[in-house]
Short mmCIF file of all heavy atoms in Angstrom, two decimals:
data_model
loop_
_atom_site.label_atom_id
_atom_site.label_comp_id
_atom_site.label_asym_id
_atom_site.label_seq_id
_atom_site.Cartn_x
_atom_site.Cartn_y
_atom_site.Cartn_z
N GLN A 25 69.45 125.06 42.87
CA GLN A 25 70.48 125.29 41.85
C GLN A 25 69.92 126.11 40.69
O GLN A 25 70.62 126.95 40.12
CB GLN A 25 71.06 123.96 41.32
CG GLN A 25 71.86 123.21 42.34
CD GLN A 25 71.01 122.15 43.06
OE1 GLN A 25 69.81 122.28 43.22
NE2 GLN A 25 71.66 121.10 43.52
N THR A 26 68.66 125.86 40.34
CA THR A 26 68.02 126.60 39.27
C THR A 26 67.93 128.08 39.62
O THR A 26 68.19 128.95 38.77
CB THR A 26 66.62 126.04 38.98
OG1 THR A 26 66.74 124.68 38.57
CG2 THR A 26 65.93 126.84 37.88
N LEU A 27 67.57 128.38 40.86
CA LEU A 27 67.45 129.77 41.28
C LEU A 27 68.81 130.48 41.21
O LEU A 27 68.89 131.63 40.77
CB LEU A 27 66.87 129.86 42.69
CG LEU A 27 65.42 129.39 42.83
CD1 LEU A 27 65.01 129.36 44.30
CD2 LEU A 27 64.49 130.24 42.02
N VAL A 28 69.87 129.79 41.62
CA VAL A 28 71.21 130.37 41.54
C VAL A 28 71.60 130.59 40.08
O VAL A 28 72.11 131.64 39.71
CB VAL A 28 72.24 129.46 42.26
CG1 VAL A 28 73.67 129.92 41.98
CG2 VAL A 28 71.96 129.41 43.76
N PHE A 29 71.34 129.57 39.24
CA PHE A 29 71.67 129.68 37.83
C PHE A 29 70.92 130.85 37.18
O PHE A 29 71.50 131.63 36.43
CB PHE A 29 71.33 128.37 37.09
CG PHE A 29 71.55 128.46 35.62
CD1 PHE A 29 72.82 128.36 35.08
CD2 PHE A 29 70.48 128.69 34.76
CE1 PHE A 29 73.03 128.48 33.72
CE2 PHE A 29 70.68 128.80 33.40
CZ PHE A 29 71.96 128.68 32.87
N ALA A 30 69.61 130.95 37.47
CA ALA A 30 68.80 132.03 36.89
C ALA A 30 69.33 133.40 37.30
O ALA A 30 69.40 134.32 36.49
CB ALA A 30 67.34 131.88 37.31
N GLU A 31 69.72 133.54 38.55
CA GLU A 31 70.27 134.81 39.03
C GLU A 31 71.55 135.17 38.29
O GLU A 31 71.74 136.31 37.86
CB GLU A 31 70.54 134.71 40.54
CG GLU A 31 71.07 135.98 41.14
CD GLU A 31 71.37 135.82 42.64
OE1 GLU A 31 70.77 134.96 43.30
OE2 GLU A 31 72.23 136.58 43.12
N LYS A 32 72.44 134.18 38.12
CA LYS A 32 73.71 134.42 37.42
C LYS A 32 73.47 134.72 35.93
O LYS A 32 74.12 135.60 35.37
CB LYS A 32 74.63 133.20 37.55
CG LYS A 32 74.95 132.81 38.96
CD LYS A 32 76.02 133.65 39.54
CE LYS A 32 76.38 133.10 40.92
NZ LYS A 32 77.08 134.03 41.73
N ALA A 33 72.55 133.99 35.31
CA ALA A 33 72.25 134.21 33.89
C ALA A 33 71.69 135.61 33.67
O ALA A 33 72.09 136.32 32.74
CB ALA A 33 71.29 133.15 33.38
N ARG A 34 70.78 136.01 34.54
CA ARG A 34 70.18 137.34 34.40
C ARG A 34 71.19 138.45 34.69
O ARG A 34 71.09 139.54 34.12
CB ARG A 34 68.96 137.45 35.30
CG ARG A 34 67.80 136.63 34.77
CD ARG A 34 66.59 136.71 35.64
NE ARG A 34 65.48 136.01 35.03
CZ ARG A 34 64.63 135.24 35.69
NH1 ARG A 34 64.75 135.08 37.00
NH2 ARG A 34 63.65 134.64 35.05
N ALA A 35 72.16 138.17 35.55
CA ALA A 35 73.19 139.16 35.88
C ALA A 35 74.02 139.53 34.65
O ALA A 35 74.54 140.64 34.57
CB ALA A 35 74.09 138.65 37.00
N ILE A 36 74.15 138.61 33.70
CA ILE A 36 74.90 138.90 32.48
C ILE A 36 73.97 139.19 31.30
O ILE A 36 74.37 139.13 30.14
CB ILE A 36 75.90 137.79 32.13
CG1 ILE A 36 75.21 136.46 31.92
CG2 ILE A 36 76.99 137.69 33.19
CD1 ILE A 36 76.10 135.38 31.31
N GLY A 37 72.70 139.46 31.60
CA GLY A 37 71.77 139.88 30.56
C GLY A 37 71.11 138.77 29.77
O GLY A 37 70.55 139.01 28.71
N CYS A 38 71.16 137.54 30.28
CA CYS A 38 70.50 136.43 29.60
C CYS A 38 69.13 136.19 30.22
O CYS A 38 68.85 136.63 31.33
CB CYS A 38 71.35 135.17 29.71
SG CYS A 38 72.96 135.33 28.92
N LEU A 39 68.29 135.49 29.51
CA LEU A 39 66.95 135.17 29.99
C LEU A 39 66.86 133.69 30.32
O LEU A 39 67.67 132.89 29.87
CB LEU A 39 65.91 135.54 28.94
CG LEU A 39 65.92 137.00 28.47
CD1 LEU A 39 64.91 137.22 27.35
CD2 LEU A 39 65.66 137.94 29.62
N VAL A 40 65.83 133.33 31.10
CA VAL A 40 65.64 131.95 31.52
C VAL A 40 64.21 131.54 31.21
O VAL A 40 63.27 132.29 31.44
CB VAL A 40 65.90 131.81 33.04
CG1 VAL A 40 65.64 130.38 33.50
CG2 VAL A 40 67.32 132.22 33.38
N GLY A 41 64.08 130.33 30.68
CA GLY A 41 62.76 129.80 30.38
C GLY A 41 62.63 128.38 30.89
O GLY A 41 63.62 127.73 31.22
N VAL A 42 61.40 127.91 30.93
CA VAL A 42 61.11 126.53 31.33
C VAL A 42 60.42 125.86 30.16
O VAL A 42 59.43 126.37 29.63
CB VAL A 42 60.21 126.50 32.58
CG1 VAL A 42 59.84 125.07 32.93
CG2 VAL A 42 60.89 127.18 33.76
N GLU A 43 60.96 124.71 29.75
CA GLU A 43 60.34 123.96 28.66
C GLU A 43 59.69 122.70 29.21
O GLU A 43 59.92 122.32 30.35
CB GLU A 43 61.34 123.63 27.56
CG GLU A 43 62.46 122.72 27.95
CD GLU A 43 63.39 122.43 26.78
OE1 GLU A 43 62.98 122.58 25.61
OE2 GLU A 43 64.53 122.07 27.04
N ASN A 44 58.86 122.09 28.38
CA ASN A 44 58.05 120.93 28.80
C ASN A 44 57.17 121.30 29.97
O ASN A 44 56.97 120.50 30.89
CB ASN A 44 58.92 119.71 29.12
CG ASN A 44 59.66 119.20 27.91
OD1 ASN A 44 59.15 119.25 26.80
ND2 ASN A 44 60.86 118.72 28.12
N PHE A 45 56.64 122.51 29.95
CA PHE A 45 55.85 123.04 31.04
C PHE A 45 54.48 122.37 31.09
O PHE A 45 53.78 122.28 30.09
CB PHE A 45 55.67 124.55 30.89
CG PHE A 45 54.86 125.17 31.98
CD1 PHE A 45 55.46 125.52 33.18
CD2 PHE A 45 53.50 125.38 31.82
CE1 PHE A 45 54.71 126.08 34.20
CE2 PHE A 45 52.75 125.95 32.83
CZ PHE A 45 53.35 126.29 34.02
N THR A 46 54.11 121.90 32.28
CA THR A 46 52.78 121.39 32.54
C THR A 46 52.21 122.15 33.72
O THR A 46 52.93 122.53 34.63
CB THR A 46 52.78 119.88 32.84
OG1 THR A 46 53.60 119.65 33.98
CG2 THR A 46 53.29 119.07 31.67
N ILE A 47 50.93 122.37 33.69
CA ILE A 47 50.29 123.17 34.74
C ILE A 47 50.33 122.47 36.08
O ILE A 47 50.58 123.09 37.11
CB ILE A 47 48.84 123.52 34.33
CG1 ILE A 47 48.86 124.44 33.12
CG2 ILE A 47 48.10 124.17 35.49
CD1 ILE A 47 47.51 124.72 32.52
N ASP A 48 50.11 121.17 36.11
CA ASP A 48 50.00 120.43 37.37
C ASP A 48 51.24 120.53 38.25
O ASP A 48 51.13 120.62 39.47
CB ASP A 48 49.71 118.95 37.10
CG ASP A 48 48.36 118.75 36.41
OD1 ASP A 48 47.51 119.65 36.51
OD2 ASP A 48 48.18 117.70 35.78
N ASP A 49 52.42 120.49 37.65
CA ASP A 49 53.66 120.47 38.42
C ASP A 49 54.27 121.84 38.64
O ASP A 49 55.33 121.95 39.24
CB ASP A 49 54.70 119.58 37.71
CG ASP A 49 54.26 118.14 37.63
OD1 ASP A 49 53.54 117.70 38.54
OD2 ASP A 49 54.62 117.46 36.66
#
C-alpha cells in the first residue's frame, strides 16, 4: 500500500518520507 501511495503522491508532485527511521528495520 505504501508503494502505491508513494507512486500516487509523486504523480501529483508531492514527496514521500519515512519518519522514526531505524537502520535495523
Side-chain angles (χ1 to χ4, degrees):
Q25 292 95 331
T26 299
L27 294 173
V28 170
F29 176 79
E31 181 182 335
K32 302 280 185 198
R34 288 179 175 139
I36 60 169
C38 298
L39 304 176
V40 177
V42 176
E43 65 180 338
N44 295 326
F45 180 83
T46 59
I47 294 173
D48 297 339
D49 296 329

